[in-house]
Amino acid sequence: MHRAKFRLKCMVRTHVGASDEAYGCAMQREDGVGRVGFHIGKGLPKAASQALFENLRVLAPRALPIKELVGTWSPHWCIKKNDNNKSGASASGSVPVNFKAGVDHFCLHPGGTAVIKGVGKSLGLSQHDLEPARMTLHRFGNASSSGLWYVLGYMEAKRRLRERDRVLMIGFGSGFKCNSCLWEVMRDLEETNVWGDCIDECPPETLVNPFLEKYGWVNEH
C-alpha cells in the first residue's frame, strides 16, 4: 500500500444503450466505399448528456459530504434542465448540487473541446479545473478513454495532487456509456511522468493550432 498512489472510493457505470438513438450515435461502420471508420451521429450530445446526468444522479450522494447533503437531500435525486433550459445538476429539482464540496480535482474525458466545455459548464467548473483536460487534448489529441490517464498525469506533474485529495474521473464511450470513479490520493504526488519535457510551459498563452491557417483547407473538403 505504501507504493499506491490512489485508493478507489467508489465507481458508477451508466449505460443508456436501451435507447436506439444512444446506441447508434457512436459506432464502427463502413462508409459508402467499404472503408471502416468510426461514425459519430447527431444524437451524440443528447446521449452524452443523458448518460452523464444519470451517472451524477447515482454518484452525488456517494461523493458529497453530509454537510452538503443536509438541506438538499431528496429520496429521488434528479439531474435535469433548469428554467433557463440549461443542463445542470440539482437535488429535488431546485437546489444546485455543488460537487466541489466533495471533490478537489476533476479528471474529465479529453474527447473534444465541446465535451470539456459541456461537462465543465454542467458542474460549474473553473478554467483551472478544466486545464488538465484541455492540455491533454492539445498535446495528445483525442485518445478515447485512455486520455484520462494523461489528464491525471498532468495534475501530478503540476504538483496539484496532495495526500487525502479527492479526484473525480469522468469518461465516456460508445454504447452509449458514462463511467465515473472517485479516487483518494494516498500521498503527495510530484512525478513529472510523460509531461516532464513540457509541463513548465503549460498552459501556453494560446491553444490556436499553428497549422490551421496553412492546412485548414482540408476541412473544407
Side-chain angles (χ1 to χ4, degrees):
M1 287 295 293
H2 67 282
R3 297 184 60 185
K5 293 183 176 182
F6 304 93
R7 173 187 286 123
L8 182 61
K9 304 291 288 184
C10 69
M11 179 175 65
V12 177
R13 303 182 65 182
T14 303
H15 198 296
V16 293
S19 164
D20 290 341
E21 183 179 15
Y23 177 77
C25 72
M27 61 191 315
Q28 183 175 289
R29 63 173 56 171
E30 294 183 356
D31 61 13
V33 296
R35 291 177 296 193
V36 178
F38 202 76
H39 167 75
I40 301 295
K42 295 181 178 180
L44 179 62
K46 180 180 178 181
S49 295
Q50 178 187 357
L52 172 63
F53 297 143
E54 286 294 326
N55 190 281
L56 295 182
R57 180 180 63 83
V58 178
L59 176 69
R62 302 183 184 182
L64 297 177
I66 296 178
K67 64 180 181 180
E68 178 66 19
L69 297 177
V70 174
T72 62
W73 173 255
S74 168
H76 303 287
W77 279 77
C78 61
I79 308 295
K80 68 177 186 178
K81 293 182 178 180
N82 58 30
D83 295 337
N84 296 323
N85 198 36
K86 296 179 180 179
S87 299
S90 65
S92 302
S94 58
V95 182
V97 176
N98 179 19
F99 275 87
K100 284 192 172 184
V103 177
D104 301 293
H105 310 280
F106 295 83
C107 182
L108 307 181
H109 185 107
T113 300
V115 173
I116 297 171
K117 287 184 177 179
V119 177
K121 185 176 181 179
S122 296
L123 296 178
L125 305 183
S126 66
Q127 290 303 311
H128 178 78
D129 297 321
L130 301 181
E131 180 184 312
R134 291 172 60 242
M135 289 300 99
T136 297
L137 180 64
H138 176 66
R139 186 182 184 197
F140 297 103
N142 182 2
S144 190
S145 296
S146 63
L148 286 165
W149 302 108
Y150 292 105
V151 179
L152 202 60
Y154 181 90
M155 298 179 191
E156 180 178 2
K158 277 290 187 180
R159 300 185 177 182
R160 295 185 181 183
L161 303 179
R162 318 313 289 177
E163 185 178 359
R164 300 186 67 83
D165 279 359
R166 287 153 67 95
V167 183
L168 176 57
M169 179 184 285
I170 300 177
F172 298 95
S174 57
F176 194 88
K177 56 181 174 288
C178 172
N179 297 335
S180 63
C181 297
L182 183 64
W183 299 95
E184 179 183 353
V185 182
M186 299 296 293
R187 52 188 170 84
D188 293 350
L189 302 179
E190 300 180 351
E191 296 178 14
T192 55
N193 54 65
V194 70
W195 290 94
D197 62 338
C198 66
I199 193 64
D200 293 334
E201 302 172 1
C202 295
E205 294 183 1
T206 177
L207 295 181
V208 175
N209 188 337
F211 300 102
L212 187 60
E213 182 177 354
K214 185 175 182 179
Y215 300 105
W217 57 269
V218 173
N219 295 327
E220 300 176 2
H221 296 276

